[in-house]
Structure formats: C-alpha cells, structure tokens
Amino acid sequence: MALAFDEYGRPFIIIKEQEQKSRLRGLEAQKANISAGKAVARILRTSLGPKGMDKMLQSPDGDVTVTNDGATILEQMDVDNQIAKLMVELSRSQDYEIGDGTTGVVVMAGALLEQAEKLLERGIHPIRIAEGYEMASRIAVEHLEHISQKFEFSVSNIEPLVQTCMTTLSSKIVNRCKRMLAEIAVKAVLAVADLERKDVNLDLIKIEGKVGGKLEDTELVYGITVDKDMSHPQMPKRIEDAKIAILTCPFEPPKPKTKHKVDIDTVEKFQTLRQQEQKYFDDMVQKCKDVGATLVICQWGFDDEANHLLMHRNLPAVRWVGGVELELIAIATGGRIVPRFQELTPEKLGRAGLVREKSFGTTKDRMLYIEQCANSRAVTIFIRGGNKMIIEETKRSLHDALCVARNLIRNNSIVYGGGSAEISCSIAVEAAADRYPGIEQYAIRSFAEALDSVPMALAENSGLQPIDTLTAVKSQQIKDSNPYCGIDCNDVGMNDMQEQNVFETLIGKRQQIFLATQVVKMILKIDDVIAPSDY
Amino acid sequence: MAVERLLKDEATEEKGDRARMASFVGAMAIADVVKTTLGPKGMDKILQSTGRGRTVTVTNDGATILKSLHIDNPAAKVLVDISKVQDDEVGDGTTSVVVLAGELLREAEKMVNAKIHPMTIIAGYRMAAECARNALLQKAMDNKQDPEKFTSDLMNIAMTTLSSKILSQDKEHFAKLAVDAVVRLKGSTNLDSIQIIKKAGGSLKDSFLDEGFILDKKIGIGQPKRIENAKILVANTAMDTDKVKIYGARVRVDSMARVAEIEGAEKEKMREKVQKIIAHGINCFVNRQLIYNFPEELFADAGILAIEHADFDGIERLALVTGGEIASTFDNPESVKLGHCKLIEEIMIGEDKLIHFSGVAMGQACTIVLRGASSHVLDEAERSLHDALCVLSQTVNDSRVLLGGGWPEMVMAKEVDELARKTPGKKAHAIEAFSRALQAIPTIIADNAGLDSAELISQLRAEHHKERTNAGIDVITGGVGDMEKLGISESFKVKQAVLLSATEASEMILRVDEIITCAPRRREDRM
C-alpha cells in the first residue's frame, strides 16, 4: 500500500528500507491510536476517587511500588507504545503544572478518545471533531469559572485550606490520618508562602522519610533535618544557639587543579613540608574557630587529623552533606555557603536556635535536626511509617497536598469535587451544543458525554450503580439548579458537595480540561504511523 | 484492529481478580514459611546461601529467614519489608507480624470471594485495629513506679522472648544476662555499649556477662601483660609510615646516600610521634590502624602497652567506656582527654587470649561473652540475645507490659468481636474476620506445640468471657494456664507495632487491583 508508481507504472520506493517498516494509514491509524490511548486510560480508571484502588508496580530491579498516583503509575509502567507515551506525558505535565488530578486528566482524555472513535465511525472528519472539542472545552471552562467560588482564608483561618487538602488526601492510602497530614501540609505551605506575591516555592519544603514508627508520628519540623551524624562520635549531640559555618571545601590539604609535583630531595625539605602540612590543618580549624562558628557543616570529607583537631577544639562538625541540603540549610539559617576558608567571615555564618541529634529504633540510625533557624522559611516534613512503600506513597500524597495548597494561595477560586463540576459542565456544554451549526455540534455533544465519564468512574469505583447514580445527580442539578451536586463516594447519604466540604482548585480542573483536549486533538490529527517493524 | 501492545517486551500486567489472587497467594505463602517457627515450640529453619562457601544458617528469627529468601512476588516483598522494619524498630515479633498479616489476608480472600468490596474490608480492618489497640492500652500494666516489680517484669519478658529460641534451655541464665546488661544502660536504647563476643567451645551455660570491656586483640610481644590504673590513649592515626598528605608530593633523589638520609628522617619523624604520644603520660595506647614493628618496639621500650588494628566499633566503644577521646594529633598532651580504667589484663577464653579492661570509668558498658558448641549455635544465640536486648531496652523506655501466651490476642479478639456486633453494614464481616485472624495466632502457637488447638482455643475463649482473666496457652503442660502466675509477659510496644504494621501492610496489599511487572533489567553475564 505504500508503493508509489511513476508514469510508466514502475514502482519506486519513498521510504528507506520500506519492507522493514510497519505502516498504518488513515482511519486504521487513528483507530489504533485511539485504542492505545483508551487502554492507558482504562488502567488508571479504577484508581480514581476516594475508593479508587492501588496499583502495584515492580521495577526492572525488583523494587516494588504501591501507589494510586496517576503520574507515578504511568511513569513506572515502562510503556512502549508511542501514543501511550503521549498519555504519560499528559499526566506528567499535569503533575508539573498543578501537582494533583493526574489520574483525572488521563481518564478524561480516554473518554474523549472513546467518543471520537464513535464519531469517526459515522464518517466525521477527525479535524472537525478536534475543532468541536476545542469549542466545547472553551464552553466548559467558561462555565467552570462561572460556577467557581472565591474562597476566603487567612493565616489565622486555615480551615478552608485544610479541607481542600483533605479532599486530595482522601483518595490515597494515608486517608486514615488525612486530617493530620492535611494540617501539616497547610502549615508547611503557609510557613514558606509569600502571601503578598501569592507564590510558594515548594523547594523550601523538604520531605524526609524514615522507616519505622507509625504514620501518626509524622511531624512538621520548622527547620531542616539532615540524615547525617556528627563526624566524630564524641562530639556534643546538642548545640544551642549554634553559629553554623557552611563550607564546600574539604578539610584536607589543597589539591590544585593544575598538575604539579612537589619534589623532596633533602631532609630539610621533608621536614618543612611536614610542618607546613600540620600548620595547614591547624590554620583551617583556627579560621573556623576565629569567626566564632560553633558548628561546621561541610560538603566534603575530613582527614582523620582534621577531624580530631575539630573535636579537640570543641567544634562539632558534620561531613558529606549533600548539595541540596546544604543550600536549604543556608536558606534556613541565613548563612552563606563558603567555598574557601579564606573567605570565612562572621557575617557569613548561619544561625540556629537548636541543633540536636536524634536516634531511632534499635539500629544506629541518627538524624540531625536544625531547628529554630534565623529564617524559618524552610521547613521539613518528617514522615514515619510501617514500611518503605508506605513512606514513598505518603511522600507522593503529601506532595499532591502541598501543590493543592500552593495553587489555592496562587488563585483562591475553587470548584466543588465529587464529579459535580464535570456534571455541571456537561449540562452546560450539552445545552450550548444546539446553538452551533455544522458538524461540530456532534463533537460538542460527544464532549459533554465524555465529561460524564469522570463522575461515572467515581461512582463505579465507589461500588454504586454508575448510570443510575449519574442520571439521578444530573436531574437533581437541573431541577434544583444547584451545580454542587456530586457523587456521594463516602456513603454519607447526601450529595451536595458544598455541605460535604469536597473542594478542588479551579486552576487544577481548568488545566485538566485544557490538557486533555489538547492531547486528544493531537492524537486525532495523526493519520499515518510509520514504525520499524519487529525484528 | 487488535489493541496495540502498550508495555515493553517481557513486561507483564495482571488485572483485577488475578492480581488480587497473585498477591494473596504470595503473601500467604510467605506467612506459611515462617508460621512454624512461631511460639516456644516453634521449629527452626536451615538456610543455605547460594554464594560461595554455601554457608549455612540455622535460625528461627523471622526477619533473618525472610531476609535471606529470594522473592519474586511483589506482595510477598511487602511482608518481608514489614518484618525487617519490625526488627529495626523493636527487635522482636518479626515472625508474629508476618503471620498476622498473612492471616488477615487469608480472611480477606474469603470475603473478596464472597463479593465484599476490598475498600469495605479495609474500612472494617481499620476500625477493628483501632478497637484492638484501645483494648491493649486498657489492659496494659505499668510497673515503672515499683522497681522490684519492674525488674521481675523485665525478667519475664526476657524469658518469654528467649523461650522461643535456641537459648530456651538456659533461658533463665540468659534472661538474667540480658536484664543485667540493659539495666546498666539506664534507659538509653543505644545497644552499642553492650558488646557481644562469640567464642566457640564450652557450652551455652558458660556464657557470662562481664562488667568491663573485652577487646578481641592480643598484646604485643615484650609488653606488659597487666597494667593497674591504666591511662589509655585511644587513637586513630597512621603508625606505619606517616605519609605526606600534600597532593603531588614525591621523593626524588639522586644518590643512595640521600635515600638513607630521608629514611633516617622518616624514622626520626616516627620516633618523634611516638615520643609525643608517650609524653601524654599514658601506659596503654590503642590504635585503630596498624602499628609497625618499629614504633611497637619503641612503645615496648617505654613500657607501654600498644594495641594495634582495633576495629572501628571497638575503638568507638573503648573511647566511650573509658571516657577518653579518639585522638589523631598529639601536639597538645595537656588537653587530650585520656581514658582510665582500673586494670588491664590478658585473659583466656577457651584457647584465645583477649584483653580485658575492668573498672572502666563509665558503668554503662558491658560485654557478654557467648560460648557454644558451634558457630551456628553461637550465631543463633547472638540473634536471640539481640532480640531480647532490643525488647528489653524498648521496655525500659516504655514500661507498659502485657501478658503473653496468646493472652493479648484473645483480649483483642473479644473486644473486636463486640465491636462487630454493634456495627451495622458489611463492615461487620471484616471486623469479625479481624478477630478470627487475631485468634489464629494462639492457634498456631498451640499447633506448633503439637496440642489440640481447636479444643484449647475454645477453652480460652470461654475463659476470656469472664472479667479480668489471665488465661493463656501454657505450652509446657498443654492446657490453659494463668499467665501472670507462670510469669509470661510481653512488651506492649512490640505487640502494638505488630498490630499496626500488620494491618497497614494487609491494607496496602488489599488496595491493589493491578500488578505491572517491568522486564527485569538485563545484566551482563559475568560467567
């Protein structure tokens, strides 16, 4: 089929090594792509919502991950299909941009593709479908903004923020203590937030985890924890009012980058060199001492001799601290990272009210807590949990919650969750469809149906009758003209999401609709897939 | 058009019921492996490593068994993981946690087959776990105020822990060793200052606790074998040739005479270093690194005991117990803290000579010397003793105590059962199942002891319907006995950790409805 003929009827080859490539064209290509996209969406569909199930993923190295975070599942799934990779990208970009709703966006895209397939079978041109979807998405987003509510909170009244974070956390395995984790997340975000500029730098929130204990022991540390201990076992374990020297140079003799040799040919030289070496160590320690540091945090290692000298001069030190942690310590304590001993001055020292070492369990695990910092704009969330997988999953869940809190600070509009926003949009899009002349009308109607698939999946996962529930809610929304009716996933007995306190952020929802539409448009526009065939 | 392949070659995907089946089967298989080691009459396992030497380990420690298994099933890995965490965190109960999780999943499987949604099961399990924990909290006894009773509690806990291990023959002896050692720690959980030395030979009964510190090293030839009122310098410094640390330095000479000169200078440097060390006024010098013959000779001349190549842990401990600091430079003798002890002498254990430091400055440290017929026995003894030490040190901190022998499980089961009766809805099934899983533990203990478990458990249950009962399984007589009188106790912290981790793990496995296994990473064939 990929053969072309010239005017004399002789075949000629357009693509190099044509026989070895597999090629799909036209409707067939679109259908293959759609089915791949749907397959990915199908995997995630069961993870949606508070009663969604988890997936267990085994990596090539045999490590096990248990999660229901859409982005994580897709990233670790080792996907080979090109279209499926697009879906993975889709979920990832939602993760980067918003941080939450990574599952929802894929389910939405899958539903749009499913509807598109039906339209294609009716003979509607893919571009017309794509355009119809585009229009519909605009209607939906407009409607979203219409039903969204401004949402008041302040530093003293964090309750609304906590409620929103709880909605996010309720779909994760940690929902047992969602209230506590939500409070931790909100407090952490508020600690680092710049409320005037309405921005939050999430890099300032460090999430550390240590196996053991229980989830309830998770705590928020106003400061930094470092998974290191003092370089010398006999250094003090507790320092109050610490002045911290943050160094990126090793306590070792200098190693100039230029190649050189120091030749020793006489006894005198041998001895002077030795003295110099000793003096060098002495100088280094003395310099730290001179500027008044009471704790040295160093990115590199120490020589045994230097270590003892530090110990001897009563200067506690921590070695091999990672670059990222070093930066955070610098931010938190208000110190400067000093690359050379010569440049050490008293102003460059960081300050912390309390530095202490804490040990865990029966093994020799120790961590260093740096608390009461001069600049408390860096915080650490320290997670404890029964096993490694729980901790990893908690980290991911908390990340989602942090992102949600950040989004709310950026833009405090919210919509109601539980599928209510989707249902309301679907009604609006459906109503608007009739006003459009042309084939696009069909696409717009299909879009409305695709929007229904999210609440449908929610109901299905919660063990309710999907179609029954959806139609009931929909008619209720129209009858009471109340756009806040959603699926009652937790079996509370009412479906007004406003009363159930289930919120989602407006930008998150908007982004979901935009991203899903975009990807679906892209997939619909592909009409030729050329791939090297299996060998 | 067939659905395109989504995943890479060799990657597999299992969905829905099949995935759930796979994880249930895997988890239960793991639980069954360690099941028979539970309880005082539990059996041991032999583990043979695939590595070179085919080393053999005999153990009934759950964590050790599971650590050495090669497991492919992802759900099974979750269980191995919780047992490892239990070991790190509280040290004991590593088998119970896996068995309980296994039983919870076994019950869950039945419910899933009866078409109860996993999420409903999880909700029920959570309620049940919370209720069971409260039951434990209520029943826990705290004897912290009464030192005498507290010590007897500790003894009982140690004996209960040890009774399921190879040391059960001499459990009283070892329980005493462990309690003595832990009481010396005065509340710290740092087990570093308890040193365990294993020496083959003799019988387990010959093991003893030594109040001082024993270093598994020999004293250099020609040096004093016994020092009273020793002043010890603990060091970590090179005592071979002191290298020039300045980068790029090298020796370049043009004649033999020069070589000799530099050699002389080197020797001089070492001599100076030794002199400096001697100037500290010490009579014992312990170094982490090697001491060459030349400095050793110098030390011998000065009448100083020089011990070389002590391992890192040994050095740290020695510094800790003698109160000295680990030194690496020797220029300021007046400000270096020296370690002190009353007596250093060479002692013989079996055929080996060891160095014994007694009358050390810090009373916390002690050494337990284990003797036994073979290295396997010793290894297992060490593991058992470690378990006991961990539990004891945790109990010293959290002094709440429960009775043993299946008593806590029955107490929890009773409370959970009552909760099930009050709860409406499908959750009640899950709560009931939780209580059944709890009762499975005394059942297994009884089964392992070769007793009629069905009979015993029903007796126990009847007994527990009375108020304030202390009934548990008495494995020795094979009946129901009063646990308080028999002195069988367990630490509250261990039981709580078992309950919570097992519930958490089974919850996690239950929530899974799809398993995606990536293709194993290709490795270069090394053969």
Side-chain angles (χ1 to χ4, degrees):
Chain A
M1 73 181 177
L3 277 186
F5 298 92
D6 62 9
E7 61 261 47
Y8 304 108
R10 285 175 305 191
F12 68 87
I13 289 166
I14 305 170
I15 306 167
K16 211 167 105 192
E17 291 169 3
Q18 189 159 324
E19 316 81 71
Q20 289 176 27
K21 304 248 194 286
S22 65
R23 190 163 179 205
L24 290 172
R25 301 184 66 178
L27 204 55
E28 217 169 310
Q30 270 141 1
K31 283 203 177 156
N33 292 342
I34 287 174
S35 78
K38 268 163 53 191
V40 174
R42 211 163 36 232
I43 291 177
L44 289 191
R45 200 181 153 91
T46 53
S47 289
L48 196 73
K51 295 277 166 89
M53 304 296 275
D54 286 3
K55 311 281 172 228
M56 192 180 260
L57 303 147
Q58 197 169 17
S59 81
D61 296 323
D63 296 332
V64 179
T65 312
V66 179
T67 182
N68 79 356
D69 181 52
T72 315
I73 297 171
L74 290 177
E75 216 145 289
Q76 303 210 352
M77 231 169 59
D78 210 4
V79 170
D80 204 25
N81 185 291
Q82 312 84 353
I83 299 300
K85 276 184 186 154
L86 275 181
M87 302 289 268
V88 175
E89 288 283 318
L90 167 68
S91 158
R92 198 181 297 158
S93 59
Q94 174 84 9
D95 193 26
Y96 285 159
E97 193 55 37
I98 306 296
D100 187 32
T102 50
T103 314
V105 68
V106 175
V107 172
M108 175 90 204
L112 285 175
L113 284 173
E114 204 171 322
Q115 296 295 334
E117 194 175 14
K118 283 186 202 149
L119 296 176
L120 281 175
E121 267 164 18
R122 288 184 176 183
I124 298 177
H125 193 270
I127 297 294
R128 303 299 286 272
I129 301 175
E131 266 160 24
Y133 276 1
E134 182 70 42
M135 286 174 199
S137 76
R138 244 176 275 135
I139 302 169
V141 169
E142 253 166 49
H143 183 71
L144 263 186
E145 270 157 28
H146 179 64
I147 61 167
S148 75
Q149 288 189 340
K150 284 283 174 197
F151 172 84
E152 293 310 320
F153 65 91
S154 61
V155 181
S156 51
N157 176 22
I158 58 169
E159 189 54 30
L161 283 177
V162 174
Q163 290 288 353
T164 320
C165 287
M166 272 165 67
T167 311
T168 306
L169 289 174
S170 63
S171 64
K172 315 280 176 184
I173 194 165
V174 296
N175 62 2
R176 182 157 48 94
C177 33
K178 62 180 174 187
R179 171 90 215 172
M180 198 195 80
L181 289 177
E183 270 171 23
I184 287 182
V186 171
K187 279 184 196 155
V189 168
L190 283 179
V192 302
D194 186 343
L195 287 176
E196 261 151 48
R197 226 157 39 83
K198 290 201 169 182
D199 200 9
V200 183
N201 185 359
L202 285 187
D203 290 343
L204 293 177
I205 302 175
K206 190 166 161 240
I207 303 184
E208 274 276 345
K210 199 137 211 145
V211 178
K214 45 188 191 297
L215 220 49
E216 281 84 356
D217 296 338
T218 302
E219 56 178 344
L220 175 68
V221 180
Y222 286 99
I224 307 285
T225 61
V226 188
D227 199 356
K228 290 277 178 298
D229 50 3
M230 295 291 181
S231 63
H232 196 289
Q234 286 167 312
M235 285 175 177
K237 308 276 181 241
R238 190 186 164 91
I239 307 161
E240 277 169 30
D241 285 325
K243 297 197 180 67
I244 305 167
I246 304 160
L247 299 171
T248 52
C249 45
F251 272 94
E252 268 163 21
K255 284 183 185 166
K257 301 233 167 43
T258 42
K259 273 210 161 170
H260 71 291
K261 289 197 177 72
V262 182
D263 282 345
I264 303 171
D265 48 9
T266 62
V267 177
E268 293 78 55
K269 276 193 185 168
F270 182 80
Q271 267 158 0
T272 42
L273 205 60
R274 201 183 105 213
Q275 271 155 15
Q276 260 176 10
E277 185 189 295
Q278 272 176 355
K279 194 165 164 315
Y280 191 82
F281 280 123
D282 227 37
D283 278 355
M284 283 192 292
V285 179
Q286 194 56 43
K287 260 184 202 125
C288 298
K289 198 79 193 165
D290 280 347
V291 293
T294 52
L295 174 68
V296 177
I297 289 178
C298 185
Q299 196 176 12
W300 301 100
F302 305 156
D303 193 274
D304 285 341
E305 270 183 50
N307 201 0
H308 175 246
L309 278 174
L310 284 167
M311 159 74 198
H312 197 79
R313 301 267 178 98
N314 232 337
L315 197 58
V318 188
R319 59 181 152 184
W320 298 122
V321 178
V324 183
E325 280 154 1
L326 211 63
E327 264 173 42
L328 276 175
I329 294 174
I331 293 171
T333 61
R336 294 263 294 275
I337 297 176
V338 180
R340 262 183 225 118
F341 285 102
Q342 288 79 3
E343 287 165 22
L344 208 55
T345 57
E347 305 84 68
K348 288 183 182 166
L349 296 181
R351 271 154 219 280
L354 178 66
V355 178
R356 63 192 166 104
E357 213 181 77
K358 197 173 168 186
S359 55
F360 297 100
T362 62
T363 46
K364 281 199 275 179
D365 270 349
R366 293 199 197 99
M367 304 255 308
L368 205 66
Y369 279 58
I370 303 176
E371 287 170 311
Q372 301 167 16
C373 301
N375 174 6
S376 62
R377 293 285 303 281
V379 295
T380 307
I381 298 174
F382 187 62
I383 303 171
R384 308 298 314 273
N387 56 46
K388 206 169 63 206
M389 288 155 234
I390 289 262
I391 292 203
E392 287 302 314
E393 179 67 1
T394 313
K395 272 189 192 172
R396 282 190 287 271
S397 316
L398 264 177
H399 171 253
D400 284 8
L402 291 175
C403 288
V404 168
R406 176 195 62 181
N407 294 342
L408 275 179
I409 287 176
R410 278 195 188 153
N411 179 350
N412 62 352
S413 301
I414 48 145
V415 291
Y416 288 89
S420 68
E422 280 88 354
I423 298 174
S424 172
C425 283
S426 154
I427 295 171
V429 172
E430 181 88 53
D434 297 337
R435 289 200 299 274
Y436 283 84
I439 302 174
E440 283 85 1
Q441 200 186 86
Y442 277 89
I444 295 173
R445 246 183 234 132
S446 302
F447 191 91
E449 253 173 65
L451 276 172
D452 282 346
S453 71
V454 172
M456 196 106 97
L458 273 179
E460 211 174 308
N461 292 343
S462 313
L464 304 167
Q465 286 292 333
I467 299 175
D468 261 10
T469 324
L470 181 65
T471 44
V473 171
K474 219 169 184 175
S475 68
Q476 197 185 352
Q477 277 210 4
I478 295 176
K479 204 166 67 195
D480 304 351
S481 61
N482 174 6
Y484 309 130
C485 289
I487 307 288
D488 177 20
C489 299
N490 291 326
D491 214 16
V492 185
M494 58 169 175
N495 51 14
D496 191 330
M497 290 298 134
Q498 202 169 11
E499 277 169 48
Q500 274 202 30
N501 278 332
V502 182
F503 316 115
E504 281 175 75
T505 55
L506 170 68
I507 33 178
K509 264 278 138 13
R510 195 168 56 191
Q511 192 78 6
Q512 268 186 5
I513 294 180
F514 275 146
L515 279 178
T517 317
Q518 250 173 41
V519 166
V520 169
K521 258 175 75 183
M522 192 151 83
I523 293 175
L524 283 176
K525 279 186 177 168
I526 300 169
D527 76 335
D528 200 339
V529 180
I530 305 168
S533 63
D534 301 335
Y535 41 90
Chain B
M1 183 77 221
V3 176
E4 288 274 308
R5 285 184 55 87
L6 276 184
L7 304 167
K8 286 203 178 118
D9 294 347
E10 287 180 53
T12 55
E13 190 187 356
E14 280 180 74
K15 286 191 169 180
D17 284 342
R18 276 182 59 93
R20 226 168 267 142
M21 256 264 281
S23 45
F24 285 153
V25 168
M28 283 189 287
I30 286 294
D32 287 343
V33 167
V34 290
K35 200 171 163 179
T36 54
T37 66
L38 195 72
K41 295 278 164 88
M43 305 301 270
D44 288 3
K45 310 265 172 218
I46 285 192
L47 307 165
Q48 190 172 30
S49 81
T50 48
R52 210 193 299 174
R54 310 242 153 208
T55 42
V56 171
T57 317
V58 183
T59 183
N60 83 353
D61 181 44
T64 315
I65 297 171
L66 294 178
K67 240 183 273 177
S68 357
L69 292 177
H70 289 285
I71 292 169
D72 208 29
N73 187 301
K77 278 191 184 147
V78 176
L79 289 197
V80 175
D81 207 45
I82 56 169
S83 137
K84 219 183 283 170
V85 172
Q86 179 84 7
D87 194 26
D88 287 349
E89 196 62 13
V90 284
D92 193 29
T94 50
T95 313
S96 323
V97 68
V98 175
V99 173
L100 183 58
E103 288 303 322
L104 284 175
L105 288 172
R106 200 186 301 273
E107 293 293 336
E109 190 194 15
K110 283 182 213 154
M111 286 186 277
V112 169
N113 286 343
K115 294 279 177 277
I116 296 180
H117 194 270
M119 283 299 164
T120 318
I121 303 176
I122 289 172
Y125 275 8
R126 271 191 193 161
M127 284 171 71
E130 192 54 40
C131 161
R133 200 172 88 93
N134 288 338
L136 278 189
L137 269 173
Q138 272 173 17
K139 299 275 177 173
M141 291 164 281
D142 193 342
N143 291 329
K144 189 98 182 177
Q145 270 70 43
D146 186 353
E148 208 167 293
K149 232 174 156 196
F150 186 53
T151 324
S152 85
D153 271 354
L154 285 183
M155 259 319 260
N156 286 339
I157 291 178
M159 297 229 288
T160 312
T161 304
L162 290 172
S163 64
S164 62
K165 316 275 170 170
I166 199 165
L167 300 176
S168 61
Q169 296 301 319
D170 311 299
K171 63 180 176 192
E172 261 172 61
H173 182 63
F174 281 98
K176 197 154 170 28
L177 284 187
V179 172
D180 281 352
V182 169
V183 168
R184 294 177 77 88
L185 286 179
K186 299 190 183 84
S188 110
T189 52
N190 186 358
L191 295 178
D192 280 354
S193 34
I194 300 175
Q195 190 192 19
I196 298 179
I197 288 181
K198 296 175 281 182
K199 283 285 167 214
S203 76
L204 280 172
K205 256 215 159 63
D206 297 334
S207 309
F208 62 94
L209 176 90
D210 196 282
E211 309 214 328
F213 179 81
I214 293 178
L215 199 63
D216 196 355
K217 285 280 168 255
K218 290 190 183 61
I219 292 178
I221 297 159
Q223 292 169 343
K225 298 269 184 261
R226 182 186 161 88
I227 299 176
E228 283 180 30
N229 282 331
K231 294 197 192 76
I232 308 160
L233 179 65
V234 187
N236 175 15
T237 183
M239 289 301 274
D240 35 14
T241 46
D242 226 1
K243 284 181 209 79
V244 177
K245 282 173 192 153
I246 289 172
Y247 184 68
R250 61 170 184 177
V251 177
R252 181 174 230 167
V253 289
D254 44 18
S255 70
M256 280 304 284
R258 285 281 167 79
V259 178
E261 267 172 35
I262 289 189
E263 203 197 336
E266 238 171 37
K267 234 177 186 169
E268 198 50 46
K269 188 180 165 189
M270 186 47 71
R271 191 191 300 277
E272 238 172 66
K273 192 168 184 178
V274 174
Q275 289 303 336
K276 270 188 207 157
I277 292 171
I278 295 172
H280 286 72
I282 53 165
N283 44 21
C284 176
F285 176 71
V286 185
N287 191 15
R288 189 173 79 80
Q289 298 174 25
L290 284 173
I291 302 178
Y292 270 24
N293 287 352
F294 175 64
E296 192 176 335
E297 187 194 318
L298 291 176
F299 283 124
D301 283 347
I304 288 176
L305 174 62
I307 301 163
E308 64 163 8
H309 213 200
D311 50 72
F312 206 85
D313 277 355
I315 279 287
E316 271 187 27
R317 265 194 212 123
L318 192 61
L320 189 72
V321 299
T322 60
E325 66 178 35
I326 301 172
S328 294
T329 56
F330 310 99
D331 291 324
N332 311 305
E334 61 285 346
S335 61
V336 172
K337 269 189 270 166
L338 296 179
H340 292 280
C341 77
K342 293 257 159 52
L343 181 68
I344 301 177
E345 62 183 341
E346 200 174 54
I347 53 166
M348 300 273 289
I349 297 178
E351 289 196 332
D352 294 314
K353 288 177 187 163
L354 303 165
I355 303 169
H356 179 224
F357 297 78
S358 57
V360 291
M362 198 174 78
Q364 292 187 4
C366 58
T367 305
I368 295 174
V369 180
L370 287 178
R371 307 300 310 277
S374 74
S375 62
H376 300 150
V377 174
L378 283 174
D379 283 345
E380 178 65 1
E382 188 191 358
R383 273 191 294 273
S384 317
L385 200 59
H386 175 255
D387 278 8
L389 289 175
C390 287
V391 175
L392 287 177
S393 67
Q394 295 291 338
T395 316
V396 170
N397 277 348
D398 182 348
S399 57
R400 281 170 291 181
V401 179
L402 297 166
L403 296 178
W407 180 82
E409 281 82 7
M410 294 310 289
V411 169
M412 290 191 275
K414 188 186 157 205
E415 288 293 321
V416 172
D417 258 341
E418 247 153 56
L419 175 74
R421 263 181 240 135
K422 281 183 240 156
T423 313
K426 278 193 268 188
K427 273 181 239 165
H429 291 284
I431 299 173
E432 246 173 68
F434 196 94
S435 135
R436 274 201 298 279
L438 282 172
Q439 285 174 34
I441 289 196
T443 315
I444 293 167
I445 294 180
D447 275 340
N448 284 346
L451 303 171
D452 183 355
S453 60
E455 169 72 22
L456 266 177
I457 297 303
S458 50
Q459 277 185 25
L460 254 186
R461 207 162 40 212
E463 199 67 32
H464 269 266
H465 262 279
K466 297 174 198 156
E467 280 301 303
R468 305 192 59 81
T469 177
N470 295 326
I473 296 177
D474 180 358
V475 193
I476 316 294
T477 61
V480 172
D482 186 331
M483 288 297 123
E484 193 164 14
K485 278 192 197 125
L486 288 168
I488 298 176
S489 304
E490 278 178 82
S491 151
F492 169 74
K493 201 165 175 193
V494 172
K495 269 287 161 255
Q496 175 183 298
V498 166
L499 181 72
L500 293 181
S501 329
T503 321
E504 225 165 63
S506 53
E507 191 179 303
M508 195 144 101
I509 294 172
L510 264 174
R511 281 177 68 107
V512 171
D513 77 336
E514 181 153 340
I515 301 176
I516 299 168
T517 315
C518 293
R521 198 180 295 275
R522 298 207 177 275
R523 294 209 170 74
E524 304 283 312
D525 263 333
R526 289 197 205 100
M527 307 299 266

